[in-house]
Amino acid sequence: MDLVALGAEALGPDVVQFSPLVPGAAALEALSPGSLAAMTILAPPGTVERRYVIALALKALGPGAALTVLALKDKGGSRIAKELAAFGCDAGETSRKHFRICETLRPETFDREGREFIATAIEAGAPRLVPELGLWTQPGIFSFDRLDPGSALLLDHLPAFSGRGADLGCGIGVLSAAVLRSPKVTALALVDIDRRAVEAARRNVGDARASLRWADVRTAELGLAGLDFVVMNPPFHDAGIEDRGLGQGFIRQAATMLRPGGFLWLTANRHLPYEDILKPLFKLVTKRAEDGGYKIFEARK
């Protein structure tokens, strides 16, 4: 699971942060046309997601408003100027510390090609139902249009749970939907740092036993304690860089949430050394499966 930061830091009372990966941040999609005086975007690396964000920004900016878009050169930065030109913007480009920085003004009016490019970009990046999955999702969410192999392996080995539980880093709700097939589950908390994933999971998991939270599992006060079980496919990338501390943080949080005798089921890439952190926190740690570069652990508190 990957975490990619986008949006601008809040620098003052007149600055608003828009990011689906910062719990509590505003939603760019909700802005009225022409309501912004200026905007700075740290663009996401994915082409579809990046164009979607820029298109939404251009809709939200007033005519003549300043727009700055930047990204690492090898994370989409080299494409920004051409994409802004396709939107109808004449952008100046500079480089600094491996970043490409493009500055432009929102045109007074868009020509037909610019309007069509904006509409196409917004449609391509919007939430959609993927027939092959039978689930709602959106570009930018981890494994947005396919079943992640690690999650697929975990689905093949999950037991029928009972009692109260949580799905940490729930994504679009694939694991949660499987967990809730057990009638003995009384409550399930779904938590994810990606607002888009939480909104998709809300549509995909139509069960009164489910509660959804847009939050950072590692730092948020979730009020979850005495749980009977936790399931998770924890992240291990931050902005495209491997960070094993992410998954370790998830495991620590799961340990604090479980009651004595409660169970954690997790999937992980084979190379990640989660055994080292599981064993001090849990009474019994069992590897339940290993296949295709992934491994499944059951850990008893």
Side-chain angles (χ1 to χ4, degrees):
M1 182 176 293
D2 294 337
L3 300 176
V4 182
L6 66 128
E9 292 295 332
L11 301 176
D14 296 327
V15 177
V16 179
Q17 185 174 43
F18 302 94
S19 175
L21 299 177
V22 177
L28 187 56
E29 298 90 335
L31 286 180
S32 301
S35 59
L36 285 183
M39 188 165 191
T40 299
I41 300 172
L42 175 58
T47 299
V48 173
E49 185 186 3
R50 183 176 60 254
R51 292 177 178 177
Y52 176 72
V53 172
I54 294 173
L56 289 175
L58 288 170
K59 283 192 66 176
L61 288 165
L67 172 63
T68 301
V69 185
L70 67 152
L72 287 168
K73 180 181 178 180
D74 61 351
K75 297 291 185 180
S78 61
R79 304 183 186 94
I80 294 172
K82 290 182 179 179
E83 290 173 345
L84 286 171
F87 282 116
C89 300
D90 184 14
E93 184 178 19
T94 57
S95 298
R96 184 176 181 184
K97 294 183 178 179
H98 306 293
F99 277 84
R100 290 288 179 86
I101 305 167
C102 292
E103 295 178 288
T104 187
L105 299 178
R106 192 268 202 196
E108 293 293 327
T109 59
F110 291 100
D111 59 22
R112 180 176 59 84
E113 289 79 7
R115 292 194 301 271
E116 289 178 353
F117 199 69
I118 289 173
T120 299
I122 292 176
E123 181 180 3
R128 83 278 301 271
L129 179 66
V130 176
E132 294 80 5
L133 295 175
L135 299 170
W136 283 90
T137 185
Q138 186 175 0
I141 299 173
F142 166 70
S143 191
F144 88 97
D145 61 352
R146 63 184 178 84
L147 179 59
D148 170 67
S151 294
L153 184 63
L154 182 55
L155 288 171
D156 288 340
H157 292 84
L158 281 181
F161 292 107
S162 61
R164 298 168 53 245
D167 180 355
L168 303 183
C170 65
I172 63 174
V174 173
L175 296 179
S176 294
V179 168
L180 288 166
R181 293 192 189 107
S182 171
K184 294 184 179 180
V185 173
T186 58
L188 184 68
L190 287 68
V191 187
D192 204 285
I193 198 171
D194 192 330
R195 171 179 50 80
R196 300 163 300 183
V198 173
E199 291 173 354
R202 196 181 306 278
R203 304 178 79 165
N204 295 327
V205 183
D207 194 302
R209 295 170 293 170
S211 60
L212 294 99
R213 309 177 193 205
W214 178 25
D216 186 336
V217 168
R218 299 164 298 164
T219 60
E221 295 293 334
L222 298 173
L224 297 173
L227 298 182
D228 299 293
F229 64 90
V230 171
V231 298
M232 63 184 184
N233 179 358
F236 67 97
H237 282 93
D238 187 354
I241 300 172
E242 183 172 313
D243 181 357
R244 299 180 180 186
L246 292 173
Q248 293 170 355
F250 271 56
I251 291 169
R252 291 190 188 95
Q253 286 292 73
T256 66
M257 295 174 181
L258 288 165
R259 63 168 174 79
F263 291 92
L264 166 65
W265 280 76
L266 72 90
T267 183
N269 287 58
R270 181 180 292 168
H271 75 280
L272 296 173
Y274 288 157
E275 295 90 335
D276 294 341
I277 189 170
L278 284 166
K279 289 177 180 178
L281 295 172
F282 292 87
K283 183 182 298 183
L284 180 65
V285 177
T286 306
K287 185 187 294 184
R288 290 299 183 188
E290 187 168 358
D291 186 53
Y294 297 90
K295 53 190 176 182
I296 305 299
F297 288 106
E298 177 192 16
R300 182 175 180 179
K301 180 73 179 291

